């Protein structure tokens, strides 16, 4: 039994996850540039530089190969990047 009820649902999910993962890259770069000028982050910069690129790669690859799990992993990584970077920045400041 399939999780998605039809091909259109899977195609819609893959397209949306691809777009969200690709759009997370400029958002994370903008936040990174803003916080560099404000607070001077250190290790959390690595998260804002590397994780969105990996998420975008997974989202695009999941759409190309029609793999829902790969696209979902990319989407989860894109969503978690900013909160994880903020928590790490908070820990660096302490």
């Amino acid at each position: 039994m399939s999780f998605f009820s039809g091909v259109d649902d899977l195609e819609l999910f893959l397209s949306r996850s691809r777009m969200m993962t690709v759009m997370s890259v400029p958002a994370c770069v903008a936040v990174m540039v803003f916080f560099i000028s404000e607070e001077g982050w250190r290790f959390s910069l690595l998260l804002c530089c590397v994780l969105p690129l990996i998420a975008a790669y997974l989202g695009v690859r999941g759409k190309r190969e029609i793999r829902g799990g790969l696209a979902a992993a990319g989407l989860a990584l894109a969503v978690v990047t900013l909160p994880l970077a903020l928590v790490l920045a908070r820990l660096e400041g302490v």
Side-chain angles (χ1 to χ4, degrees):
M1 184 166 185
S2 176
F3 176 72
F4 299 103
S5 61
V7 175
D8 294 333
D9 293 339
L10 178 62
E11 183 68 29
L12 182 65
F13 170 74
L14 290 173
S15 296
R16 286 185 179 173
S17 69
R18 180 190 63 187
M19 291 307 296
M20 289 178 69
T21 56
V22 169
M23 293 308 295
S24 73
V25 174
C28 286
V29 169
V31 168
M32 180 185 67
V33 168
F34 174 74
F35 281 121
I36 284 174
S37 64
E38 292 293 320
E39 299 185 18
W41 285 1
R42 294 180 203 93
F43 296 111
S44 54
L45 289 177
L46 181 65
L47 290 178
C48 285
C49 288
V50 174
L51 288 183
L53 295 174
I54 294 171
Y57 172 75
L58 291 175
V60 170
R61 187 74 177 219
K63 168 78 169 136
R64 184 180 303 151
E65 294 179 3
I66 308 173
R67 296 178 63 190
L70 197 60
L75 184 60
L77 195 59
V79 169
V80 159
T81 299
L82 282 178
L84 189 61
L86 292 173
V87 167
L88 186 59
R90 176 77 176 156
L91 291 175
E92 287 176 359
V94 172

